Amino acid sequence: MTADAPKLPGGAQATAQEAIAGADCTGMTALVTGAGGGLGEETARALALAGARVLLAARRSAGGEAAAQRIRDAVPGAVVESLVVDLADLRSVAAAAAAVSARTGGLNMLVNNAGVMYTPLSRTADGFESQFGTNHLGHFLLTTMLLPALRVGAERGRPSRVIAVSSDGHRSYPVDLDDPHFRTREYDKFAAYGQSKSANALMAVELEARFAESGVHAFAVHPGSCRTRLARHMDRGDFARMRKLVADRGSSALDTLKSPAQGAATSVWAATAPGLDRHGGAYLSDCAIGQAAAHARDPETAETLWELSDTLVAEAR
């Protein structure tokens, strides 16, 4: 990280509310996926607190509306709305993107927060491996379909930002561009999750390369190890394997888990902090600029993945 790179005091301990302090998002519109609870709801609450109109995307209507009401109760005057999007079904994603475009016209912030982790082998509605299909391809289609709205948002004020919530779980697992859906290789839930998180970081790299000149910037975010329901598919053996992977990286992140409010802080900071646009495509962690693994920041890999993803989702547009 360069000496002039922005960062938020408090780092790993900062909360979403602290990350938004001083920000004025009045007149801006944000969309947060996975906003029916956890980090997504905390992200949406902080953006609403700063004055943004926030669309909460959730897989179930009841969950999204319940989160929206909790935010209204906590933030007087908050303008929040919910919509349904199932990232494991590209028809649902395309319908949601069309609805957002119709509702908003312009979009200033897109926080691709939703995801699944360490799931047993399963397929999305479109036949993709579920972690790659949900965490990457669903968000890829949503983002590309919303690019016109993001460009309009940028024309109305400051540049628009796309936040891809990744994870340090990417570090041991590059994207297998030949078999991302585990059709010929043996399924490994850790490899599947890790490559989907590498894909999130690579998408930020390529999005920045393609669209920064039109006022759309992108960042990948590592939220840290958090107390959420994301780990619901894990058993004791999985936790032991995760601890070894983290220890092998020289990290003690699992010793002190973040709260959802702390886990959402870097996403909120990425969406609103001044001075970040000149660092577009960066990988952010603990409200500061970090660095993804080499395989998750390589420009050629990012371009190849983008072209592959574009082909895979083409029929849903």
Side-chain angles (χ1 to χ4, degrees):
M1 183 173 66
T2 60
D4 66 337
K7 61 181 178 180
L8 181 72
Q13 286 72 47
T15 65
Q17 187 166 340
E18 291 167 342
I20 205 75
D24 183 3
C25 297
T26 304
M28 296 182 178
T29 300
L31 170 64
V32 182
T33 69
L39 305 191
E41 182 177 342
E42 292 292 340
T43 300
R45 180 183 290 108
L47 295 174
L49 186 64
R53 173 192 180 190
V54 188
L55 306 182
L56 283 68
R59 191 160 61 91
R60 295 183 178 88
S61 177
E65 185 48 45
Q69 189 57 54
R70 288 192 293 269
I71 294 172
R72 295 185 194 106
D73 292 341
V75 184
V79 181
V80 290
E81 306 165 36
S82 66
L83 73 153
V84 173
V85 58
D86 183 353
L87 291 162
D89 184 341
L90 294 184
R91 288 172 297 181
S92 173
V93 175
V100 170
S101 297
R103 283 195 204 183
T104 65
L107 189 64
N108 305 96
M109 293 168 274
L110 171 59
V111 184
N112 290 328
N113 164 83
V116 293
M117 183 174 76
Y118 302 149
T119 60
L121 177 61
S122 60
R123 305 286 176 189
T124 69
D126 304 279
F128 306 134
E129 186 279 315
S130 62
Q131 297 188 78
F132 188 77
T134 301
N135 298 349
H136 171 60
L137 290 174
H139 280 130
F140 178 87
L141 179 61
L142 182 68
T143 302
T144 53
M145 289 191 67
L146 288 175
L147 278 168
L150 288 160
R151 290 196 190 99
V152 170
E155 291 170 358
R156 295 177 178 173
R158 72 170 203 191
S160 296
R161 291 183 183 175
V162 177
I163 313 305
V165 177
S166 180
S167 165
D168 269 4
H170 83 274
R171 295 193 178 278
S172 299
Y173 303 103
V175 178
D176 187 327
L177 294 166
D178 295 319
D179 186 21
H181 304 300
F182 291 85
R183 301 200 187 282
T184 60
R185 56 183 170 139
E186 183 178 357
Y187 181 69
D188 180 330
K189 65 171 70 174
F190 278 73
Y193 178 72
Q195 76 159 2
S196 76
K197 297 290 102 178
S198 287
N200 293 151
L202 289 164
M203 181 177 159
V205 170
E206 186 63 12
L207 190 64
E208 179 71 19
R210 289 178 181 242
F211 302 105
E213 289 188 1
S214 62
V216 180
H217 293 285
F219 302 91
V221 162
H222 169 51
S225 298
C226 309
R227 295 190 296 272
T228 70
R229 295 186 65 250
L230 191 61
R232 61 189 178 276
H233 297 289
M234 297 179 68
D235 57 26
R236 286 187 178 182
D238 295 331
F239 279 108
R241 183 176 174 185
M242 177 191 277
R243 285 193 171 276
K244 184 177 187 307
L245 285 169
V246 171
D248 288 347
R249 296 199 300 264
S251 171
S252 58
L254 293 180
D255 293 339
T256 306
L257 296 180
K258 292 184 178 184
S259 68
Q262 290 171 323
T266 304
S267 290
V268 171
W269 182 74
T272 62
L276 271 181
D277 290 333
R278 66 181 183 274
H279 300 281
Y283 183 83
L284 312 180
S285 178
D286 292 338
C287 297
I289 295 176
Q291 188 174 69
H295 64 256
R297 63 177 192 269
D298 176 65
E300 291 186 5
T301 304
E303 182 179 13
T304 302
L305 175 63
W306 185 284
E307 293 171 352
L308 172 64
S309 303
D310 200 46
T311 299
L312 289 171
V313 307
E315 291 185 4
R317 285 198 178 91

mmCIF file of all heavy atoms in Angstrom, residues 85-95 124-126 133-134 138 141 316:
data_model
loop_
_atom_site.group_PDB
_atom_site.id
_atom_site.type_symbol
_atom_site.label_atom_id
_atom_site.label_comp_id
_atom_site.label_asym_id
_atom_site.label_seq_id
_atom_site.Cartn_x
_atom_site.Cartn_y
_atom_site.Cartn_z
ATOM 1 N N VAL A 85 -34.247 -11.319 -5.753
ATOM 2 C CA VAL A 85 -33.310 -11.819 -6.762
ATOM 3 C C VAL A 85 -32.700 -13.119 -6.261
ATOM 4 O O VAL A 85 -32.192 -13.184 -5.148
ATOM 5 C CB VAL A 85 -32.211 -10.784 -7.101
ATOM 6 C CG1 VAL A 85 -31.411 -10.387 -5.866
ATOM 7 C CG2 VAL A 85 -31.268 -11.339 -8.167
ATOM 8 N N ASP A 86 -32.803 -14.137 -7.058
ATOM 9 C CA ASP A 86 -32.166 -15.426 -6.777
ATOM 10 C C ASP A 86 -30.955 -15.521 -7.687
ATOM 11 O O ASP A 86 -31.091 -15.750 -8.898
ATOM 12 C CB ASP A 86 -33.151 -16.569 -7.039
ATOM 13 C CG ASP A 86 -32.560 -17.925 -6.701
ATOM 14 O OD1 ASP A 86 -31.353 -18.000 -6.388
ATOM 15 O OD2 ASP A 86 -33.307 -18.922 -6.761
ATOM 16 N N LEU A 87 -29.786 -15.335 -7.127
ATOM 17 C CA LEU A 87 -28.562 -15.322 -7.921
ATOM 18 C C LEU A 87 -28.232 -16.678 -8.516
ATOM 19 O O LEU A 87 -27.381 -16.769 -9.411
ATOM 20 C CB LEU A 87 -27.393 -14.819 -7.071
ATOM 21 C CG LEU A 87 -27.474 -13.337 -6.715
ATOM 22 C CD1 LEU A 87 -26.548 -13.020 -5.546
ATOM 23 C CD2 LEU A 87 -27.136 -12.463 -7.914
ATOM 24 N N ALA A 88 -28.895 -17.723 -8.052
ATOM 25 C CA ALA A 88 -28.695 -19.059 -8.609
ATOM 26 C C ALA A 88 -29.649 -19.348 -9.760
ATOM 27 O O ALA A 88 -29.736 -20.482 -10.232
ATOM 28 C CB ALA A 88 -28.869 -20.117 -7.523
ATOM 29 N N ASP A 89 -30.343 -18.325 -10.224
ATOM 30 C CA ASP A 89 -31.280 -18.464 -11.346
ATOM 31 C C ASP A 89 -31.134 -17.211 -12.207
ATOM 32 O O ASP A 89 -31.597 -16.130 -11.827
ATOM 33 C CB ASP A 89 -32.705 -18.600 -10.816
ATOM 34 C CG ASP A 89 -33.721 -18.839 -11.923
ATOM 35 O OD1 ASP A 89 -33.418 -18.543 -13.102
ATOM 36 O OD2 ASP A 89 -34.835 -19.300 -11.598
ATOM 37 N N LEU A 90 -30.504 -17.333 -13.367
ATOM 38 C CA LEU A 90 -30.211 -16.157 -14.172
ATOM 39 C C LEU A 90 -31.463 -15.464 -14.683
ATOM 40 O O LEU A 90 -31.444 -14.260 -14.940
ATOM 41 C CB LEU A 90 -29.293 -16.535 -15.342
ATOM 42 C CG LEU A 90 -27.883 -16.999 -14.949
ATOM 43 C CD1 LEU A 90 -27.045 -17.255 -16.202
ATOM 44 C CD2 LEU A 90 -27.190 -15.994 -14.042
ATOM 45 N N ARG A 91 -32.566 -16.189 -14.826
ATOM 46 C CA ARG A 91 -33.810 -15.514 -15.213
ATOM 47 C C ARG A 91 -34.267 -14.564 -14.119
ATOM 48 O O ARG A 91 -34.761 -13.459 -14.398
ATOM 49 C CB ARG A 91 -34.893 -16.553 -15.515
ATOM 50 C CG ARG A 91 -34.677 -17.308 -16.824
ATOM 51 C CD ARG A 91 -35.654 -18.449 -16.972
ATOM 52 N NE ARG A 91 -35.458 -19.452 -15.925
ATOM 53 C CZ ARG A 91 -36.161 -20.576 -15.817
ATOM 54 N NH1 ARG A 91 -37.147 -20.820 -16.678
ATOM 55 N NH2 ARG A 91 -35.911 -21.444 -14.860
ATOM 56 N N SER A 92 -34.117 -14.974 -12.868
ATOM 57 C CA SER A 92 -34.442 -14.106 -11.741
ATOM 58 C C SER A 92 -33.514 -12.892 -11.711
ATOM 59 O O SER A 92 -33.958 -11.764 -11.452
ATOM 60 C CB SER A 92 -34.325 -14.878 -10.417
ATOM 61 O OG SER A 92 -34.483 -14.022 -9.302
ATOM 62 N N VAL A 93 -32.232 -13.112 -11.975
ATOM 63 C CA VAL A 93 -31.266 -12.012 -11.997
ATOM 64 C C VAL A 93 -31.622 -10.998 -13.070
ATOM 65 O O VAL A 93 -31.622 -9.783 -12.836
ATOM 66 C CB VAL A 93 -29.840 -12.549 -12.218
ATOM 67 C CG1 VAL A 93 -28.845 -11.400 -12.367
ATOM 68 C CG2 VAL A 93 -29.422 -13.464 -11.066
ATOM 69 N N ALA A 94 -31.916 -11.493 -14.277
ATOM 70 C CA ALA A 94 -32.251 -10.596 -15.386
ATOM 71 C C ALA A 94 -33.515 -9.798 -15.073
ATOM 72 O O ALA A 94 -33.603 -8.593 -15.365
ATOM 73 C CB ALA A 94 -32.427 -11.401 -16.672
ATOM 74 N N ALA A 95 -34.520 -10.445 -14.472
ATOM 75 C CA ALA A 95 -35.756 -9.746 -14.116
ATOM 76 C C ALA A 95 -35.480 -8.672 -13.070
ATOM 77 O O ALA A 95 -36.031 -7.559 -13.137
ATOM 78 C CB ALA A 95 -36.787 -10.742 -13.603
ATOM 79 N N THR A 124 -26.915 -24.798 -10.084
ATOM 80 C CA THR A 124 -27.896 -23.722 -10.160
ATOM 81 C C THR A 124 -28.986 -24.096 -11.154
ATOM 82 O O THR A 124 -28.914 -25.117 -11.842
ATOM 83 C CB THR A 124 -27.235 -22.412 -10.607
ATOM 84 O OG1 THR A 124 -26.835 -22.545 -11.982
ATOM 85 C CG2 THR A 124 -26.032 -22.065 -9.742
ATOM 86 N N ALA A 125 -29.979 -23.234 -11.267
ATOM 87 C CA ALA A 125 -31.068 -23.468 -12.224
ATOM 88 C C ALA A 125 -30.553 -23.552 -13.650
ATOM 89 O O ALA A 125 -31.198 -24.165 -14.515
ATOM 90 C CB ALA A 125 -32.105 -22.352 -12.110
ATOM 91 N N ASP A 126 -29.375 -22.967 -13.912
ATOM 92 C CA ASP A 126 -28.800 -22.959 -15.250
ATOM 93 C C ASP A 126 -27.718 -24.025 -15.432
ATOM 94 O O ASP A 126 -27.049 -24.055 -16.469
ATOM 95 C CB ASP A 126 -28.225 -21.573 -15.534
ATOM 96 C CG ASP A 126 -29.270 -20.490 -15.360
ATOM 97 O OD1 ASP A 126 -30.072 -20.293 -16.287
ATOM 98 O OD2 ASP A 126 -29.312 -19.867 -14.279
ATOM 99 N N GLY A 133 -21.603 -20.365 -9.684
ATOM 100 C CA GLY A 133 -22.784 -19.813 -10.339
ATOM 101 C C GLY A 133 -23.436 -18.705 -9.533
ATOM 102 O O GLY A 133 -23.853 -17.687 -10.093
ATOM 103 N N THR A 134 -23.519 -18.878 -8.221
ATOM 104 C CA THR A 134 -24.159 -17.878 -7.367
ATOM 105 C C THR A 134 -23.229 -16.708 -7.081
ATOM 106 O O THR A 134 -23.573 -15.543 -7.307
ATOM 107 C CB THR A 134 -24.593 -18.526 -6.035
ATOM 108 O OG1 THR A 134 -25.494 -19.606 -6.300
ATOM 109 C CG2 THR A 134 -25.248 -17.511 -5.123
ATOM 110 N N GLY A 138 -23.987 -15.081 -11.160
ATOM 111 C CA GLY A 138 -25.187 -14.311 -10.870
ATOM 112 C C GLY A 138 -24.878 -12.829 -10.734
ATOM 113 O O GLY A 138 -25.568 -11.974 -11.298
ATOM 114 N N LEU A 141 -23.876 -11.224 -14.220
ATOM 115 C CA LEU A 141 -25.011 -10.829 -15.048
ATOM 116 C C LEU A 141 -25.697 -9.594 -14.484
ATOM 117 O O LEU A 141 -26.031 -8.662 -15.231
ATOM 118 C CB LEU A 141 -26.011 -11.984 -15.160
ATOM 119 C CG LEU A 141 -27.266 -11.676 -15.985
ATOM 120 C CD1 LEU A 141 -26.919 -11.327 -17.428
ATOM 121 C CD2 LEU A 141 -28.258 -12.841 -15.932
ATOM 122 N N ALA A 316 -29.317 -15.588 -20.886
ATOM 123 C CA ALA A 316 -30.236 -15.028 -19.896
ATOM 124 C C ALA A 316 -30.536 -13.551 -20.163
ATOM 125 O O ALA A 316 -31.462 -13.003 -19.570
ATOM 126 C CB ALA A 316 -29.647 -15.188 -18.495
#
